[in-house]
Amino acid sequence: MTPAVIDDTTLYAVLAPFAAAVVAPLLTRWFKHNAAWFLAIVPALIFLHFSGFVVPVSHGETFVAAKAWAPSYGVNFSVYVDGLSTLFALLISGIGTFIILYSGGYLKGHPQQGRFFSFMFLFMGSMLGLVLGNNLISLFVFWELTSITSFLLIGFDHLRTASRRAALQALVVTGGGGLILLAGFITIITATGEIEMSALLASPDIIKNTGLYVPIFFLILGGAFTKSAQFPFHFWLPNAMEAPTPVSAFLHSATMVKAGVYLLMRMQPLLGETELWTTVLPVFGGLTLLVGTLLAIRQTDLKLMLAYTTVASLGLLVMLTGTSHEKALEGAVLYLLAHSLFKGCLFMVAGTIDHETGTRDITKLGGLRAAMPISFVAACLAALSMSGMPPFIGFIAKEVLYYGTWGWLDIGLGLPVTIAAVVGNALMLVTAAAVAIKPFFGAKVETPKHAHEGPVLLIAGPVVLSVLGLVLAFTAHTTGELLIAPTLSSLLGKTAQVELHLLPTSFNMPLILSLITIGAGVLLFTQLNRLRNLMAAVLKAIGWGPDKGFDQFVCVIVAFSGRLTRLLQNGKMQTYMMFTFGFTAVAVLLPGYLTGSYPAMPKLPEYRFYEWGIFFIAVLGLVAVLIAKTRLTAIVSLGIQGFAVALIFMMFGAPDLSFTQFMVETLSVVILALVMTRLNLMPSDHRPAPAAFGTGIIAGAVGLGLTLTMLAITQQPFDSRLSDFFAQFSRTIAHGRNIVNVIIVDFRGFDTLGEIAVVVLAGLCVLALIRVRTKPEKTCEPEAAGSDKPQAVEAR
């Protein structure tokens, strides 16, 4: 079905958070933490806007809206609204509403709370632009904006070294992946000729038929795996827990880390159902699932436990997406929704516990259910959903994904994928139980702060999200029709039918796998301390990990950069000139060498004897430069060539250009001669013959390359549109008869102004060099008493 064109309201909805980012500091200054109530209206209205698409999208409709951004390059600010983008937009804006409220309570009294609100809204707008992006280039822009705003949020507490390191690490990993993704998008555009996602989705096999499927596949995976923390790039996400808890609850559970999953789901119709897709994604996704859950049970910090299970959940989503199996994809969509709700809730509960008790270490917490009853209930509801217990949306998701993995047995890696899913879900149950039980049950433990329930700003989000996990399960049929089916249709590239039930309708293999998961999880939870100690011993024995590898990688890059800088920036002008002109020669000669095409040599016209004489003078000037004994002589000889060129301009009908050339050459010779007499330079060139020969080769290569370039340009068909424009409008618009002068001072006035500014700055630099004086050496001999010898005055 062809997407329907809608008005610009949706574009404004994407940009609304950026406007809120501008006013957030001002509102915070006026209303302090209560500004959160006003600011939360923005994402709430965005949520209501996209809620209006739920029904039509569930009927199979899709929508587009666009504004020209860089039309000459085909880049538009455009959105594509279908089931997948609508679900993500609802999650971003809906959960974002409660995160803004939560931020008001969590950072109450913080002197930089307004700045924090701005960063959060910048991220929210970037994320909306990403999931709704239709144009590949604009999608990439928003993709990188999420990395930049995430850097700002993770490093919000910039006075702490750990925060700065985590922010830099996240930026390097996700930003670097973004550049790989850009290469993938450019390859897609080049290979298919399409720049809009909606156009690509209209022809699902267009990429597979290009012959560039494999490089496109790996480039897309490079962007998705780094953003969604897939092994071995998983290390940045737990380290990002240095950010304030609202950031962890929003970016690192419900939104940003799912950007890679979103991209894979979006590309599923284009890249899926191939042997490469159904092998690489399940393998790396399953490995990430197991690594994340094993590392989670090692932790005692609530946020780190949740962070590693987030890594595991992202691996599960990637693994399910990689199957290309309809039921497994349905399970992935359901789990995506369930995970956003229960993980956002648990992160906020963990932050509330930390905020009200002063610690997040579960070994130092206990008996909080009486002091924090609302947080306790919210944590239990969310943990039950995370554990896959009925009657929560997490249980339905687990049943459906087991149905999908078990149904994939005869098609692909069904058995190992099913085993990975069961083991991973069992270990996630262990972590969920630890998060919900350890802090709230048992004997009351004294905490650094007197424990009490958080204010309404802190508990509103956890309560709503945890209850939603229950409500969506009880309305499973409606949830499936309005949210899951249209999203699944986007993944399959065709209309999908979804029928969800709160409880299993029969005793089948998925139910057996669920019972095995629950039983194994409960058994492992009883041995949590032993498991934690075992994992600690294993990690200690391994020693090295990707996080340490990142530090080593950075050290190697810094060392290499230092050596390269010392090589290229050694303080010698000769070195700078040699490298600059050397790379210039490569740039102008390499294209012709690679293509094997060179311009034809022009036929020389019949010159008059005096014209040959001018050319002869230019050659004499060149010889004079080469045989000059001193630098000053070489500079003066260089002016001979310039004057010869000026005469050529005059003879071939360009007197104004000739006059300009005369002036430039005269000033150049005078200024260079002046500088040469004032600077402390060797009067002649004492380089050895090999060095002089090398620079001569570079100079010859530059001259040859520029000559060939000019010949190639002049042999192209002449486009007279610009010349005709100047000839037509110089008199009528610019009121000048001299076209050259009009171009310089009118049509290109700002360009001329810039050139003047450059010349002035260069002159000031030359003046500064001329005025440099060597500081006089201070004498250690004391002056004789009564001596009238003047004291040395230090040059300023």
Side-chain angles (χ1 to χ4, degrees):
M1 180 180 295
T2 303
V5 179
I6 55 177
D7 59 26
D8 297 338
T9 307
T10 303
L11 297 177
Y12 299 143
V14 174
L15 297 177
F18 294 100
V22 176
V23 301
L26 187 61
L27 288 177
T28 306
R29 181 178 299 179
W30 290 345
F31 300 104
K32 307 302 180 185
H33 66 282
N34 287 317
W37 294 106
F38 300 98
L39 294 171
I41 296 173
V42 176
L45 291 176
I46 296 173
F47 179 84
L48 290 176
H49 173 76
F50 285 104
S51 298
F53 289 105
V54 170
V55 173
V57 165
S58 67
H59 294 157
E61 297 182 53
T62 57
F63 307 91
V64 293
K67 281 284 188 183
W69 190 356
S72 58
Y73 295 99
V75 178
N76 299 320
F77 172 41
S78 57
V79 297
Y80 177 58
V81 181
D82 66 344
L84 181 61
S85 58
T86 299
L87 177 61
F88 268 93
L90 291 174
L91 290 175
I92 294 165
S93 56
I95 297 177
T97 300
F98 295 103
I99 293 296
I100 294 299
L101 293 175
Y102 186 85
S103 301
Y106 191 84
L107 292 173
K108 179 181 178 180
H110 195 289
Q112 298 297 329
Q113 189 176 36
R115 180 165 63 95
F116 183 83
F117 279 133
S118 288
F119 291 166
M120 289 293 281
F121 277 114
L122 288 174
F123 171 79
M124 188 185 299
S126 303
M127 196 66 201
L128 285 171
L130 189 160
V131 300
L132 291 162
N134 188 29
N135 187 279
L136 293 182
I137 301 302
S138 63
L139 190 156
F140 164 75
V141 171
F142 285 112
W143 181 282
E144 290 295 75
L145 279 177
T146 60
S147 296
I148 295 171
T149 50
S150 174
F151 168 79
L152 297 173
L153 287 165
I154 297 172
F156 179 73
D157 190 5
H158 56 274
L159 297 180
R160 295 175 55 245
T161 302
S163 295
R164 297 196 300 271
R165 178 186 180 272
L168 181 62
Q169 186 179 71
L171 181 64
V172 170
V173 175
T174 61
L179 296 178
I180 297 174
L181 179 64
L182 175 62
F185 282 168
I186 293 175
T187 307
I188 291 174
I189 295 169
T190 304
T192 65
E194 299 289 352
I195 196 172
E196 301 286 331
M197 186 68 74
S198 56
L200 292 169
L201 293 173
S203 304
D205 295 327
I206 188 171
I207 295 178
K208 298 173 186 175
N209 296 333
T210 61
L212 294 175
Y213 173 84
V214 173
I216 290 173
F217 170 80
F218 283 109
L219 291 172
I220 296 298
L221 249 61
F225 276 20
T226 51
K227 186 74 85 173
S228 285
Q230 296 301 288
F231 182 87
F233 305 108
H234 63 283
F235 55 89
W236 73 263
L237 197 155
N239 289 337
M241 295 303 107
E242 294 294 337
T245 299
V247 178
S248 304
F250 193 38
L251 276 69
H252 305 133
S253 65
T255 55
M256 175 187 166
V257 291
K258 289 192 174 72
V261 173
Y262 163 81
L263 181 65
L264 294 176
M265 288 182 169
R266 175 60 79 197
M267 302 299 290
Q268 152 65 27
L270 301 170
L271 302 177
E273 299 185 50
T274 65
E275 185 176 356
L276 196 59
W277 179 275
T278 55
T279 301
V280 174
L281 266 67
V283 168
F284 278 91
L287 185 59
T288 304
L289 168 63
L290 296 178
V291 169
T293 50
L294 288 172
L295 292 176
I297 63 174
R298 164 67 182 86
Q299 309 303 319
T300 59
D301 184 293
L302 286 171
K303 283 181 65 175
L304 284 178
M305 294 170 70
L306 294 173
Y308 278 109
T309 56
T310 299
V311 171
S313 297
L314 295 171
L316 177 59
L317 289 170
V318 170
M319 182 178 73
L320 294 173
T321 304
T323 64
S324 292
H325 186 272
E326 181 172 349
K327 210 64 181 177
L329 293 174
E330 181 184 338
V333 175
L334 264 167
Y335 190 79
L336 170 76
L337 174 60
H339 178 266
S340 298
L341 297 177
F342 67 66
K343 194 57 68 68
C345 169
L346 289 175
F347 263 116
M348 284 190 273
V349 169
T352 303
I353 292 174
D354 185 24
H355 192 271
E356 305 304 335
T357 66
T359 182
R360 299 194 304 258
D361 192 333
I362 60 172
T363 63
K364 300 177 182 178
L365 293 168
L368 292 177
R369 65 184 183 279
M372 306 178 69
I374 299 177
S375 296
F376 164 64
V377 172
C380 287
L381 294 178
L384 287 171
S385 183
M386 179 176 173
S387 302
M389 298 288 191
F392 292 90
I393 190 68
F395 171 75
I396 301 175
K398 185 176 63 176
E399 290 293 299
V400 174
L401 71 88
Y402 280 159
Y403 192 101
T405 59
W406 188 255
W408 201 45
L409 282 177
D410 299 330
I411 303 175
L413 303 172
L415 183 60
V417 165
T418 302
I419 294 173
V422 172
V423 174
N425 281 325
L427 291 173
M428 273 198 273
L429 187 152
V430 174
T431 306
V435 171
I437 294 175
K438 293 290 186 180
F440 295 102
F441 286 90
K444 184 173 177 13
V445 178
E446 290 298 323
T447 54
K449 295 167 64 175
H450 174 66
H452 58 86
E453 188 58 87
V456 64
L457 286 171
L458 291 181
I459 62 176
V463 169
V464 172
L465 295 183
S466 61
V467 172
L468 267 178
L470 195 61
V471 172
L472 292 177
F474 278 104
T475 58
H477 182 73
T478 304
T479 301
E481 283 189 348
L482 296 182
L483 295 177
I484 308 305
T487 307
L488 181 59
S489 298
S490 299
L491 271 65
L492 295 174
K494 61 182 181 180
T495 302
Q497 300 296 326
V498 172
E499 186 176 350
L500 300 179
H501 301 279
L502 176 60
L503 297 174
T505 56
S506 63
F507 190 79
N508 49 27
M509 195 62 197
L511 180 58
I512 295 173
L513 293 175
S514 290
L515 295 176
I516 293 174
T517 300
I518 295 172
V522 172
L523 178 63
L524 291 172
F525 176 71
T526 61
Q527 305 297 317
L528 178 58
N529 290 332
R530 291 185 179 180
L531 288 174
R532 183 180 297 127
N533 294 333
L534 176 62
M535 279 303 303
V538 171
L539 293 175
K540 184 177 180 181
I542 295 175
W544 187 90
D547 187 46
K548 186 175 181 180
F550 174 82
D551 291 334
Q552 294 170 339
F553 170 76
V554 171
C555 290
V556 169
I557 292 296
V558 171
F560 173 76
S561 301
R563 293 187 177 183
L564 184 63
T565 301
R566 287 190 292 272
L567 173 66
L568 300 179
Q569 303 287 332
N570 58 5
K572 297 180 180 179
M573 180 63 72
Q574 177 183 338
T575 303
Y576 303 156
M577 299 286 285
M578 183 176 66
F579 279 110
T580 299
F581 285 108
F583 282 110
T584 301
V586 172
V588 295
L589 290 174
L590 188 60
Y593 174 78
L594 294 177
T595 60
S597 59
Y598 296 98
M601 292 303 295
K603 183 180 179 181
L604 292 177
E606 295 292 334
Y607 290 120
R608 298 180 177 86
F609 72 93
Y610 54 86
E611 294 171 339
W612 282 110
I614 295 174
F615 292 137
F616 181 69
I617 293 173
V619 173
L620 284 179
L622 174 61
V623 174
V625 171
L626 296 177
I627 65 175
K629 299 297 184 181
T630 65
R631 299 180 191 271
L632 190 58
T633 304
I635 290 173
V636 174
S637 301
L638 192 62
I640 298 174
Q641 291 179 296
F643 286 122
V645 172
L647 290 174
I648 293 173
F649 289 156
M650 181 179 295
M651 286 190 304
F652 288 93
D656 48 355
L657 189 58
S658 174
F659 176 75
T660 303
Q661 180 73 14
F662 276 122
M663 295 298 296
V664 169
E665 287 300 325
T666 302
L667 289 174
S668 298
V669 172
V670 172
I671 292 173
L672 285 174
L674 176 63
V675 171
M676 288 294 298
T677 58
R678 302 299 295 270
L679 292 180
N680 185 20
L681 298 175
M682 295 294 293
S684 59
D685 187 359
H686 292 287
R687 287 177 298 170
F693 180 77
T695 54
I697 292 295
I698 293 175
V702 172
L704 176 62
L706 293 177
T707 300
L708 294 175
T709 301
M710 291 301 298
L711 287 174
I713 293 173
T714 55
Q715 291 174 12
Q716 297 298 317
F718 179 67
D719 187 348
S720 65
R721 286 179 297 174
L722 193 58
S723 301
D724 296 338
F725 172 84
F726 289 138
Q728 181 179 357
F729 295 107
S730 290
R731 176 63 175 167
T732 57
I733 295 179
H735 308 289
R737 298 180 182 276
N738 189 314
I739 297 178
V740 175
N741 289 350
V742 168
I743 292 173
I744 293 174
V745 302
D746 198 304
F747 290 116
R748 292 179 54 195
F750 284 108
D751 185 29
T752 303
L753 180 63
E755 293 173 354
I756 294 172
V758 170
V759 172
V760 170
L761 289 175
L764 292 175
C765 292
V766 171
L767 181 62
L769 290 173
I770 292 174
R771 292 177 61 86
V772 168
R773 292 290 186 272
T774 303
K775 293 183 179 181
E777 297 183 2
K778 295 183 179 180
T779 178
C780 295
E781 298 178 1
E783 292 292 336
S787 172
D788 58 356
K789 182 179 179 180
Q791 301 294 318
V793 179
E794 183 177 341
R796 297 186 181 276

